[in-house]
């Protein structure tokens, strides 16, 4: 029986969007449940399910574009273990955080808070402040990664009544703030798919410089084909 992992590059083309549409519907249902029924526990679980689907769509999209996603060590786990997809989301979030910090550093005005007679101390202290300001997006991403590590447990908490020394009821365990926090993280994962679709769009050169697009594609290829090829994903 053929599954996602067995499909060729050509067979995979276009399938990613069907997966993405399902992910988008799950997210839409989650938002509706939260807004109309104030059922933030069920809505949070649906949001996490939508993130699992959109990560799957990213994997299929990259494979359909010739990236060696299915040659990564433990790649067979991508489509069978939800926790592995959460680990992929963690890598995505960290990558976004790094890019955001680099972009912020490039766009920030030089810090001139300290103005003394010593050029050395001015440069040192102001330089440290510049780094601190630029690193905030990455530090924020690190906090979101910690939340992503809890996604599988949070998904189950939102769906099932459990007992762990006490009765655990979904609507008590998962609050509105949990839902809002999860929505923010999930939306960032959706943006990864949207960004990739733009990069791979046949008319992207009409809007962005070809050299910039090719640089992004090559950097992505190095990351997937080289940096990730021996990365081990756990499922426990």
């Amino acid at each position: 029986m053929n599954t996602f992992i067995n499909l060729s590059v050509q067979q995979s083309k276009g399938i990613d969007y069907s997966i993405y549409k399902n992910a988008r519907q799950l997210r839409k249902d989650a938002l509706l449940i939260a807004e109309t029924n104030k059922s933030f526990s069920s809505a949070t679980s649906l949001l996490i399910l939508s993130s699992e689907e959109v990560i799957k769509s990213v994997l299929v999209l990259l494979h359909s574009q010739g990236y060696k996603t299915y040659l990564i060590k433990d790649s067979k786990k991508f489509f069978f273990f939800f926790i592995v997809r959460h680990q992929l989301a963690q890598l995505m979030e960290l990558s976004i955080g790094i890019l955001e910090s680099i972009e912020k550093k490039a766009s920030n005005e030089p810090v001139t808070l300290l103005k003394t007679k010593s050029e050395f101390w001015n440069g040192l202290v102001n330089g440290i402040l510049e780094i601190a300001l630029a690193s905030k997006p990455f530090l924020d991403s690190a906090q979101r990664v910690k939340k992503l590590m809890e996604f599988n447990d949070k998904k189950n908490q939102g769906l099932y009544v459990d007992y762990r020394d006490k009765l655990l009821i979904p609507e008590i365990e998962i609050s509105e703030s949990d839902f809002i926090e999860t929505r923010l993280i999930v939306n960032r994962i959706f943006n990864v798919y949207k960004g990739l679709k733009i990069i791979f769009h046949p008319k992207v050169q009409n809007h962005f410089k070809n050299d910039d697009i090719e640089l992004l594609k090559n950097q992505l290829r190095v990351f997937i084909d080289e940096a990730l090829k021996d990365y081990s994903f756990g499922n426990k």
Side-chain angles (χ1 to χ4, degrees), residues 20-213:
Y20 174 75
K21 285 196 296 184
N22 187 48
R24 191 173 58 188
Q25 185 61 52
L26 287 169
R27 185 177 62 170
K28 184 178 179 181
D29 291 345
L31 298 178
L32 183 63
I33 290 171
E35 182 179 349
T36 59
N37 298 340
K38 305 301 180 186
S39 181
F40 299 111
S41 54
S42 298
T44 298
S45 296
L46 278 176
L47 278 177
I48 294 172
L49 282 170
S50 76
S51 74
E52 293 168 356
E53 278 290 88
V54 81
I55 290 165
K56 188 164 71 178
S57 72
V58 167
L59 291 168
V60 174
L61 172 61
L62 289 170
H63 175 64
S64 72
Q65 293 295 324
Y67 291 84
K68 298 177 182 178
T69 46
Y70 295 177
L71 296 181
I72 296 172
K73 184 179 179 181
D74 297 330
S75 61
K76 289 183 179 180
K77 295 179 180 179
F78 293 163
F79 299 103
F80 299 103
F81 297 103
F82 300 124
I83 292 177
V84 172
R85 280 182 239 169
H86 299 162
Q87 291 171 2
L88 284 165
Q90 292 165 33
L91 288 174
M92 290 178 188
E93 177 58 52
L94 283 176
S95 298
I96 294 170
I98 291 170
L99 291 173
E100 287 175 341
S101 286
I102 292 171
E103 183 179 354
K104 187 170 181 62
K105 178 69 171 67
S107 62
N108 279 351
E109 293 291 329
V111 174
T112 56
L113 184 64
L114 187 67
K115 296 179 180 179
T116 69
K117 293 181 180 180
S118 172
E119 290 298 325
F120 171 78
W121 286 109
N122 290 346
L124 178 64
V125 174
N126 290 331
I128 291 172
L129 288 172
E130 285 181 10
I131 293 170
L133 288 170
S135 66
K136 188 179 184 303
F138 178 73
L139 295 176
D140 290 343
S141 280
Q143 291 301 312
R144 284 189 283 269
V145 165
K146 289 181 181 179
K147 297 298 180 181
L148 278 162
M149 293 171 71
E150 302 169 357
F151 257 29
N152 202 59
D153 289 337
K154 186 168 287 188
K155 180 180 66 177
N156 291 332
Q157 287 171 352
L159 292 173
Y160 308 114
V161 173
D162 200 0
Y163 196 97
R164 303 287 176 93
D165 294 328
K166 66 174 183 177
L167 192 62
L168 304 175
I169 300 172
E171 55 264 33
I172 295 175
E173 296 303 310
I174 304 296
S175 65
E176 182 178 1
S177 62
D178 289 322
F179 167 78
I180 293 170
E181 189 175 60
T182 302
R183 183 180 61 191
L184 169 64
I185 295 171
V186 169
N187 284 345
R188 286 170 67 84
I189 298 171
F190 269 75
N191 286 341
V192 172
Y193 176 83
K194 292 176 183 177
L196 289 173
K197 288 295 281 188
I198 291 171
I199 291 172
F200 297 133
H201 195 279
K203 295 184 179 179
V204 68
Q205 291 86 355
N206 295 343
H207 305 280
F208 300 96
K209 292 180 180 178
N210 188 59
D211 288 348
D212 292 340
I213 295 300

Side-chain angles (χ1 to χ4, degrees), residues 13 34 71 180 214 229:
K13 288 189 179 298
L71 296 181
I180 293 170
E214 289 305 313
K229 67 177 181 180

